[in-house]
Amino acid sequence: MGPSSTDTALRLAALTKTFGRKPVVDHIDLEVPRGSFYGLVGPNGAGKTTSLSMAVGLLRPDGGRAEIFGLDVWADPARAKELIGVLPDGLSMPERLTGRELLRFTGLLRGMDLKEVERRAGELLTVLELDRAERTLVMEYSTGMRKKIGLAAALLHAPRLLVLDEPLEAVDPVSAATIKAILQRFVRGGGSVVFSSHVMAVVEQLCDHVAVIASGRVVASGPLRAVRAGRSLEERFVSLVGGRIPEVGELAWLSS
Amino acid sequence: MAVLLIQMKLAVLRHSMTGRRAAQMITGALTGSALAGGLIVVAGRDHPLASLPFDLLGVGFALWTAGWLLGPALFGGGDETLRPEHFSLLSFTPRRLAAGLAGAAFVGVAPLVTLVAFSALVVVAAKAGLGAAATAVGVLAAVLQLVMCVLASRLVTAVLGQVMRSKAGAALAALVSAVILAGLHSSWVLSPLAQAALRTGFPDPFSTWIAALPSGWGLVAVRAAGHGQWPTVAAALTGLAALGVVCWYGWAALLKRRLTTRRASGRPARVASGAWAKGPMTAVAARELRTWSRDLLRFHYLVFALCYALAFCLLPLAIDAPIFLPWTGAVFALWVAAISANLYGEDGTELWGKMMIPDAARHDVRGRQLAWLLVTAPPTLVLTAAMVVFTGEFDLWPWLAALVPALLGGGAGVTVLVSVLRPVPLADPHRRGGNLLENGTDFAQVLLVLILTAATAAPAYFAVRLGPVWAGPVTGLVGGAAMAWLLGRLAATRLESSAPELLLHLRTGVSPKRRRPAPALDRGRPHLPKPDLGLEKLGLDLAPTGRRAYVIASLTLCWVPLVAQGIVPALMLTTGQITRSWFLALHLPQHLQWPTVIAMIALGLVLLTTGLGIGLYYLAKSRRDGIEPDGGP
Ligand SMILES: Nc1ncnc2c1ncn2[C@@H]1O[C@H](COP(=O)(O)OP(=O)(O)OP(=O)(O)O)[C@@H](O)[C@H]1O
Ligand SMILES: [Mg+2]
């Protein structure tokens, strides 16, 4: 059976992870339809990074399944991993390479043809405006540049599903527009995108599906319109996760 | 301020008193106490000469102070329990911060042990009967000497920290620490001199030098007090205090610099074409070679290995002993192995990128091995050849031709295997400061790899020792290649099976608990009868019966051919003290004895390595499946 036999790009079923005694991800179920642009939102520490790491094979779950186009990530990692491109949050890259070297060596390690790698790398670097920093090591990149080179590495092998953890964080508005355009083009071309974000406006602008995660559980998920339930995503988010605006009188010492 | 920082430091120390840290701290404290006790014993014992205890203590204090000054550079880290950066946004002046941190610097095991060691000043004053005044001076001098020592250590470490941000500085620091370490390791050269000194006293210039060093000023003060030379007492004590103040000022100035200047942005990288990298493995090797040249830490280590090899083999020339010279290349290879066995730890969480690429583990391990050989082999061969020509020791060729390839192959294997099995997590490269000193060297790791790599050359050694002249070089080459291949394969298998755990270890700095699935997850599944606990622990419960039996049998029985029928009769044959007993080889005709011994050793090694290989494979598999919920097919 090939990957085309399923309509689900990513499926998480009862995925669970416990650190110490605290369940950080608590039986999460999630279904990302093929061709969808899927937003994952939730408060800090909700378990987004942990869930995505388990979904792509970077963190071993305590329980549950993660499937990519029907392939079990943990039972058949080689085939599943060929289909995804990943941009994790806060992990290191091959730091002592320039951007171009990073793409070249990553492509070669994937077994790609050198010519093809160089062509794609050149194009990605130009589009993401990293070609101006030809001789800068990734180690010395700014936070936003790191996100961009990470995205380039994730796109290099033309995956079918992109899993991105906070791809737009610390990226300047112009580059953000570029990245959004790239991602939208990717989805139009038949790809699927899952990404986590804290910026509701971006999620509303880009996504057709969204899931809200709080305390390691999915509290709402589905098509954007359904989750929003007639309100703005931000209002809906605050009501779902039970956030609280400080009452008048608290922190009074802050006013001078 | 100081009180607050001391409280913070105590809190941090309390929280880090777990597991390995605590073990390290306790070992350090015990070793230090033993050494300090030794100094006190020296001070309190009877000596044939009145000046001898003072000279001995002078040497002891000088070494102790040198340890404080250079220890952080040699052994990494320094005391960074409280990092100045954490306070840089608070409104302290650097000088106040330096004062506070200086106060906190005196809290800890090391200063305490040092105070005990320096209290030998009091003991020696009392023992030599220099009077109450001299004893009181001893107390004061011990405290001042401690203050000077701790502050000077801070200053020197800070200076080195600044210097080591550049390649030249890294090379210089490597040279200094290599010479010191090699000097310590060849100090046996001095032993005849030292024995003479213990009987007849130290030569005068030596005593003068020892007393002139700041570490000897306390002793000068105590002796002068005994003789009533009070100006000298005052000068020595004031000198200690003044030195302490100067060190503190210098440290405060450097602290300010550290807090206000950022690492200069890197020079543009020199980009090589790397056109030879065309496939997955060569791509990894090309990337590794760039790391060797662009990473200050690796560069520092490489220079260290070279300087150590040269210093260690050249120093005995001081007493006309060129015996080590031909081995310079081999020593270099050993040390490069020892300092490059944390490949994954140094790269940090970058591992995730390889985990996302199918089959990358194998290419990565092989590529790293290739890069290691490309870095290590050429200098090793050049050094070996050059030194043999230089000394004219051409008779050594069978030894060198056997051991050098064996060490190179063994090093290429051991480094990757240890990198995977025993990573030492470091901060991710882009989060590390520019300061090399912050990345402590794990000495247990270094020692482990030195021993393991040397052990891989054992077959070659025995082949030269016991076999015909061609056996050594052949065993060296074949054994080296086999080691590189086998250990690399083990490393790749292990990396493939436990990469998520390795990543978690590197990310959090804590080795993930090797847990079996929680019983709750098993509910609803029929409980199968389990193999006995021992097998389960070894992971053998997952192995098919045949392999399980093979592992157990081979690991239990390999010692018979290897040791009992191999190494022991081999030793008997070399020494000529032959007891036939049950040694098969010794009952055979003469010309068959050596071949039988070698065959036995080979058989033992094959049993051992295959048994271990299969066993480790299933161990890794069981760890992997053990944490997975649906382990069973
Ligand atoms: N290795 C770990 N050990 C212990 N706890 C962990 C570990 N990794 C994550 N956690 C905890 O798991 C919880 C979820 O973390 P996670 O990074 O998944 O959150 P997140 O939703 O990505 O948050 P953010 O929006 O801030 O990125 C946090 O409370 C965190 O403290
Ligand atoms: Mg996160």
Side-chain angles (χ1 to χ4, degrees):
Chain A
M1 52 154 237
S4 50
S5 65
T6 163
D7 274 337
T8 315
L10 173 71
R11 184 207 307 276
L12 308 183
L15 210 55
T16 302
K17 184 77 195 177
T18 306
F19 284 120
R21 284 228 184 76
K22 191 176 61 163
V24 166
V25 173
D26 193 2
H27 293 88
I28 276 195
D29 296 301
L30 208 64
E31 197 150 314
V32 177
R34 163 195 293 264
S36 67
F37 206 133
Y38 205 106
L40 211 57
V41 298
N44 293 128
K48 302 182 293 294
T49 300
T50 311
S51 309
L52 292 181
S53 305
M54 290 191 289
V56 300
L58 291 177
L59 178 69
R60 207 184 291 282
D62 292 341
R65 284 168 72 82
E67 283 174 13
I68 286 167
F69 295 106
L71 299 166
D72 190 317
V73 173
W74 290 95
D76 189 4
R79 287 214 297 156
K81 283 174 182 176
E82 251 158 35
L83 302 172
I84 47 176
V86 176
L87 173 67
D89 184 33
L91 298 186
S92 170
M93 318 266 286
E95 303 284 340
R96 291 193 179 80
L97 301 179
T98 64
R100 190 176 296 274
E101 287 172 340
L102 185 151
L103 295 182
R104 172 144 51 99
F105 292 147
T106 308
L108 286 176
L109 190 55
R110 281 194 178 272
M112 292 165 64
D113 175 61
L114 181 60
K115 280 234 175 58
E116 180 64 13
V117 172
E118 303 229 295
R119 194 176 64 78
R120 290 187 189 181
E123 215 172 322
L124 282 167
L125 290 174
T126 315
V127 171
L128 289 167
E129 296 182 318
L130 289 170
D131 51 349
R132 280 176 245 157
E134 276 296 350
R135 303 184 61 189
T136 310
L137 302 186
V138 172
M139 202 164 132
E140 270 136 20
Y141 273 18
S142 71
T143 318
M145 289 164 81
R146 297 178 70 84
K147 288 278 179 200
K148 291 201 273 181
I149 194 69
L151 185 68
L155 288 167
L156 189 65
H157 58 294
R160 310 273 304 275
L161 165 69
L162 278 178
V163 179
L164 315 170
D165 199 357
E166 309 201 13
L168 295 175
E169 193 195 50
V171 176
D172 70 69
V174 178
S175 306
T178 312
I179 292 180
K180 285 181 206 167
I182 295 175
L183 296 182
Q184 278 168 329
R185 156 120 200 14
F186 179 77
V187 172
R188 269 202 312 278
S192 320
V193 176
V194 184
F195 80 108
S196 74
S197 175
H198 287 126
V199 187
M200 298 303 147
V202 171
V203 176
E204 275 188 301
Q205 179 196 356
L206 292 176
C207 299
D208 44 50
H209 286 68
V210 64
V212 183
I213 296 186
S215 311
R217 288 172 169 277
V218 179
V219 290
S221 69
L224 179 64
R225 191 181 286 274
V227 172
R228 260 195 337 202
R231 291 194 276 170
S232 83
L233 186 57
E234 182 149 349
E235 283 171 348
R236 182 73 178 128
F237 177 82
V238 172
S239 78
L240 274 171
V241 306
R244 180 186 82 104
I245 316 289
E247 282 167 31
V248 187
E250 281 182 74
L251 306 185
W253 47 270
L254 264 178
S255 51
S256 54
Chain B
M1 167 82 187
V3 176
L4 187 66
L5 290 181
I6 289 172
Q7 283 172 346
M8 273 181 75
K9 180 162 179 183
L10 285 174
V12 175
L13 287 180
R14 214 171 33 242
H15 288 306
S16 53
M17 275 300 272
T18 50
R20 220 170 102 191
R21 276 281 187 76
Q24 271 176 3
M25 204 184 268
I26 292 169
T27 325
L30 289 180
T31 321
S33 307
L35 291 174
L39 281 182
I40 290 180
V41 169
V42 166
R45 254 182 46 182
D46 293 318
H47 290 277
L49 289 170
S51 66
L52 202 52
F54 288 93
D55 284 343
L56 285 176
L57 283 185
V59 174
F61 289 165
L63 290 178
W64 198 284
T65 311
W68 267 96
L69 297 189
L70 297 169
L74 278 175
F75 302 104
D79 181 7
E80 290 268 333
T81 322
L82 298 182
R83 296 172 56 95
E85 281 81 1
H86 295 166
F87 309 99
S88 61
L89 289 181
L90 307 180
S91 53
F92 300 133
T93 62
R95 190 143 316 145
R96 265 193 77 196
L97 185 57
L101 287 171
F106 289 95
V107 177
V109 179
L112 195 67
V113 172
T114 303
L115 189 60
V116 175
F118 287 168
S119 66
L121 280 169
V122 184
V123 178
V124 81
K127 172 78 187 170
L130 295 179
T135 314
V137 168
V139 174
L140 189 59
V143 173
L144 283 176
Q145 213 164 306
L146 172 72
V147 171
M148 189 273 293
C149 216
V150 171
L151 293 177
S153 164
R154 288 292 151 129
L155 176 67
V156 170
T157 311
V159 169
L160 283 176
Q162 291 285 335
V163 169
M164 301 244 292
R165 279 158 207 258
S166 69
K167 253 188 171 173
L172 186 74
L175 175 71
V176 172
S177 47
V179 169
I180 290 176
L181 211 60
L184 284 179
H185 291 169
S186 6
S187 47
W188 55 269
V189 169
L190 297 176
S191 70
L193 293 177
Q195 273 166 12
L198 279 184
R199 264 177 283 114
T200 58
F202 285 78
D204 273 342
F206 186 78
S207 310
T208 318
W209 268 105
I210 285 293
L213 292 175
S215 57
W217 293 353
L219 288 163
V220 171
V222 168
R223 271 175 120 173
H227 300 130
Q229 299 158 345
W230 294 106
T232 316
V233 176
L237 293 183
T238 321
L240 277 178
L243 203 56
V245 173
V246 168
C247 289
W248 178 69
Y249 262 88
W251 181 44
L254 281 177
L255 200 60
K256 183 169 168 202
R257 210 178 128 163
R258 170 171 169 185
L259 294 183
T260 49
T261 52
R262 252 185 69 86
R263 182 162 50 101
S265 80
R267 292 160 298 132
R270 218 174 298 145
V271 180
S273 77
W276 53 280
K278 290 211 162 61
M281 188 176 101
T282 41
V284 173
R287 189 203 62 206
E288 273 292 289
L289 288 185
R290 280 167 177 69
T291 308
W292 278 103
S293 73
R294 290 175 185 169
D295 180 359
L296 218 50
L297 188 65
R298 292 264 191 104
F299 178 74
H300 168 80
Y301 282 157
L302 200 59
V303 178
F304 173 85
L306 185 63
C307 294
Y308 181 93
L310 286 173
F312 182 77
C313 299
L314 288 172
L315 273 178
L317 283 183
I319 55 162
D320 280 334
I323 41 167
F324 288 153
L325 277 184
W327 300 101
T328 314
V331 174
F332 170 74
L334 255 181
W335 269 100
V336 183
I339 47 90
S340 47
N342 192 24
L343 298 167
Y344 290 98
E346 279 169 21
D347 284 354
T349 53
E350 189 221 304
L351 180 65
W352 77 267
K354 282 149 217 152
M355 292 167 62
M356 293 318 302
I357 301 180
D359 225 16
R362 191 164 50 89
H363 298 306
D364 196 59
V365 167
R366 293 300 186 204
R368 284 174 192 266
Q369 289 187 293
L370 177 61
W372 189 86
L373 282 174
L374 286 177
V375 167
T376 316
T380 304
L381 299 178
V382 169
L383 277 174
T384 307
M387 289 301 183
V388 168
V389 172
F390 176 64
T391 53
E393 297 262 10
F394 296 103
D395 293 349
L396 278 176
W397 81 266
W399 287 102
L400 291 167
L403 292 185
V404 168
L407 283 176
L408 285 175
V414 170
T415 46
V416 286
L417 186 61
V418 173
S419 291
V420 173
L421 290 182
R422 193 184 179 286
V424 180
L426 297 180
D428 275 347
H430 64 288
R431 300 227 168 84
R432 281 179 216 160
N435 180 359
L436 283 183
L437 300 185
E438 285 162 26
N439 311 304
T441 313
D442 185 301
F443 268 73
Q445 173 100 301
V446 169
L447 203 63
L448 176 76
V449 179
L450 275 180
I451 293 171
L452 286 180
T453 310
T456 58
Y461 172 83
F462 284 112
V464 182
R465 186 81 218 232
L466 311 173
V469 76
W470 53 265
V474 170
T475 315
L477 264 177
V478 174
M483 276 297 168
W485 180 82
L486 180 75
L487 299 182
R489 201 188 145 87
L490 281 176
T493 313
R494 169 75 188 194
L495 183 60
E496 212 154 301
S497 67
S498 65
E501 285 68 36
L502 182 58
L503 179 63
L504 193 62
H505 188 173
L506 295 177
R507 201 153 63 86
T508 57
V510 193
S511 173
K513 285 206 197 72
R514 286 142 184 180
R515 278 184 313 123
R516 303 241 117 214
L521 287 176
D522 276 346
R523 223 180 288 145
R525 282 206 287 167
H527 274 277
L528 302 168
K530 289 196 170 164
D532 69 335
L533 194 68
L535 287 185
E536 191 184 12
K537 242 187 205 153
L538 290 172
L540 281 175
D541 49 322
L542 295 179
T545 322
R547 297 208 178 171
R548 196 191 302 172
Y550 179 76
V551 170
I552 296 173
S554 65
L555 288 185
T556 336
L557 295 179
C558 67
W559 308 108
V560 178
L562 182 62
V563 179
Q565 295 291 344
I567 291 174
V568 174
L571 288 177
M572 288 186 171
L573 280 179
T574 23
T575 55
Q577 297 173 340
I578 292 176
T579 321
R580 281 204 177 152
S581 170
W582 69 307
F583 302 116
L584 177 65
L586 305 184
H587 288 279
L588 294 174
Q590 195 111 43
H591 67 278
L592 283 179
Q593 288 185 343
W594 274 117
T596 313
V597 164
I598 290 171
M600 283 294 183
I601 293 183
L603 175 67
L605 282 178
V606 167
L607 285 176
L608 180 65
T609 45
T610 50
L612 267 184
I614 299 174
L616 283 178
Y617 171 78
Y618 282 102
L619 186 60
K621 194 169 150 78
S622 87
R623 294 242 169 100
R624 186 182 56 204
D625 295 354
I627 310 175
E628 213 173 28
D630 293 342

